[in-house]
Amino acid sequence: MSRRAARPPSGEELGALRRRTTAVLVLSQILGGLGVATGIALAAVLAEEVGGSKALAGLAVTSSVLGTAVLSLPFAALTAARGRRAGLAAGYLVGAAGGVLVVLASAAGSFPLLLLGTAVFGAGSSANLQARFAAADLAEPAHRGRAISTVVWATTIGAVLGPNIAAPAGRSTAGLGIPEAAGPFLWGAAVFLLAAVLVLALLRPDPLLTARALAAAGPAAAPEAAGRSLRAGAAAVAASPHARLALAAVACSHTAMVSIMVMTPVDLGHHGADIELIGLVISLHITGMYAFSPLVGRLCDRLGRLPVISLGVALLAGAALTAGTADGDHVQTAAGLFLLGLGWSAGLVGGSTLLTDSVPQSSRAAVQGLSDLVMNAAAGAGGALAGVVVAQAGYGWLNAMGAAVLLPVAALALSAPAARRPGPGGG
């Protein structure tokens, strides 16, 4: 595999390449979203069954989030060295192996092996998250929000469908001697394999390597391989107030969302909801996460990144209040989860776009890998605490904790200087 584009594309070729790259990323996101959502929909239920305790229920999703964080490091290094195609395909292939491991662990009744499997399954989420930055590689600076949001939106189809097919997916494996809640992971593994094949076959030429070739041919070319280490990425973030805000927005939005979402199926179940109703609520949540992202992206490009990040903080706080005071009202819980997804979308798209704007091209792959590491490590910690908080204090206090996580973003947004809006030929 070539590590760099043979030559920078011309203007007409670049337009065609942008459209082709977007189409491939959209298709891979549909598959990736389906794989992730199908497996994770009943992960907390499966963990409670295998672990035998409500306090352990949140650890399956937490393990998946932590796996996404830890695995983002080798995938980021692979992406920096070999391009998006290698990083994305590796993520989906490793995620498929994790799904198989979850099924084996549930059949054996091994909770530690289950956590290992869900951690490895998190590689599929890492690939899905990385794809949003692949969309920005070749986008015009003034349209980065739209480019990122288009790929985020594509996850809607698979992610909304996934929780609703989780129950039939579980029933389809009944004859295999595994718990019903483990069946969706087997389906998720098969879908990840399809996504890997798609990326390997069609994501050519590589968007990141092409973007580097364009930058090297430009008037402000950076030294080859400059800034591609994780340490250089951390230095680039530390040097930019907007990059620090962007990283905090992505990490805190994701942490608040995961901490609340991971225990909502368990809370619903303890208030009489069946698997189908839980799947519907999670589908509404995922609709909020992805379906409105094109609107969020356009707001990023028209109004600026900072207003969208502030909107995300407000929506997430409102979601915590709504869900946290539901007290068994399934409709109110569903409304809170929808707002939770919408706030996450604004935080992720606004933060990811601002992050890409705020660092030089030579450092972007490293900074983006660092962003995924921080956001998933923080969310993993929040998810790990979520089960304990619910067991000891209740679901309402969990939502209060989720709202408190947003305070650093609000503080950084208030102190940040006004962001320059990139023009068609800028940054």
Side-chain angles (χ1 to χ4, degrees):
M1 186 187 303
S2 173
R3 294 195 179 190
R4 66 182 70 185
R7 64 175 177 83
S10 66
E12 184 175 339
E13 291 172 335
L14 183 56
L17 179 56
R18 283 174 178 147
R19 292 189 293 272
R20 174 184 172 84
T21 299
T22 299
V24 174
L25 291 172
V26 164
L27 290 174
S28 69
Q29 283 293 94
I30 291 172
L31 291 172
L34 178 62
V36 171
T38 301
I40 292 300
L42 299 180
V45 176
L46 179 63
E48 187 174 4
E49 289 179 1
V50 175
S53 169
K54 180 173 71 172
L56 299 177
L59 291 183
V61 176
T62 299
S63 176
S64 179
V65 173
L66 288 175
T68 303
V70 172
L71 292 170
S72 67
L73 286 177
F75 294 147
L78 180 61
T79 297
R82 304 298 296 271
R84 299 290 182 191
R85 181 168 162 264
L88 291 173
Y92 288 130
L93 289 172
V94 173
V100 173
L101 188 58
V102 168
V103 172
L104 294 176
S106 63
S110 172
F111 189 73
L113 190 60
L114 175 70
L115 294 184
L116 177 62
T118 53
V120 177
F121 188 78
S125 294
S126 180
N128 267 17
L129 290 169
Q130 187 185 127
R132 76 191 190 277
F133 291 123
D137 286 334
L138 298 175
E140 296 179 9
H143 296 154
R144 280 193 186 122
R146 186 183 308 176
I148 290 173
S149 66
T150 297
V151 172
V152 172
W153 169 85
T155 313
T156 308
I157 300 171
V160 171
L161 182 61
N164 288 292
I165 68 171
R171 289 192 290 268
S172 73
T173 60
L176 300 179
I178 62 175
E180 183 175 318
F185 280 95
L186 192 59
W187 282 42
V191 173
F192 282 160
L193 283 175
L194 289 177
V197 171
L198 175 71
V199 167
L200 286 171
L202 299 180
L203 195 63
R204 299 170 182 266
D206 189 279
L208 177 60
L209 302 186
T210 302
R212 286 178 180 166
L214 288 166
E224 180 68 17
R228 295 183 190 173
S229 70
L230 193 63
R231 180 178 296 179
V237 171
S240 169
H242 287 137
R244 295 196 296 271
L245 168 60
L247 184 60
V250 170
C252 293
S253 297
H254 195 55
T255 301
M257 185 276 289
V258 169
S259 299
I260 295 171
M261 179 275 293
V262 67
M263 291 306 297
T264 299
V266 175
D267 183 71
L268 285 168
H270 290 154
H271 284 96
D274 57 18
I275 288 180
E276 281 73 17
L277 178 57
I278 292 172
L280 177 60
V281 172
I282 297 301
S283 291
L284 288 172
H285 167 63
I286 294 172
T287 299
M289 290 174 67
Y290 300 115
F292 297 92
S293 59
L295 174 60
V296 173
R298 287 181 180 273
L299 290 175
C300 269
D301 292 336
R302 291 187 179 183
L303 302 180
R305 307 354 178 178
L306 297 184
V308 171
I309 290 172
S310 299
L311 174 63
V313 170
L315 287 169
L316 287 166
L321 177 63
T322 302
T325 58
D327 194 25
D329 185 330
H330 298 332
V331 174
Q332 186 172 333
T333 300
L337 266 286
F338 175 78
L339 289 176
L340 188 73
L342 197 58
W344 175 88
S345 180
L348 183 77
V349 173
S352 299
T353 307
L354 181 61
L355 187 67
T356 304
D357 291 343
S358 303
V359 297
Q361 213 290 328
S362 60
S363 300
R364 281 177 189 161
V367 168
Q368 291 158 355
L370 176 66
S371 171
D372 285 351
L373 168 65
V374 172
M375 70 180 279
N376 286 293
L385 289 172
V388 177
V389 171
V390 170
Q392 298 297 322
Y395 182 68
W397 279 104
L398 174 64
N399 280 269
M401 182 185 79
V405 166
L406 304 169
L407 293 175
V409 185
L412 287 171
L414 289 173
S415 62
R420 179 181 64 84
R421 194 174 303 172

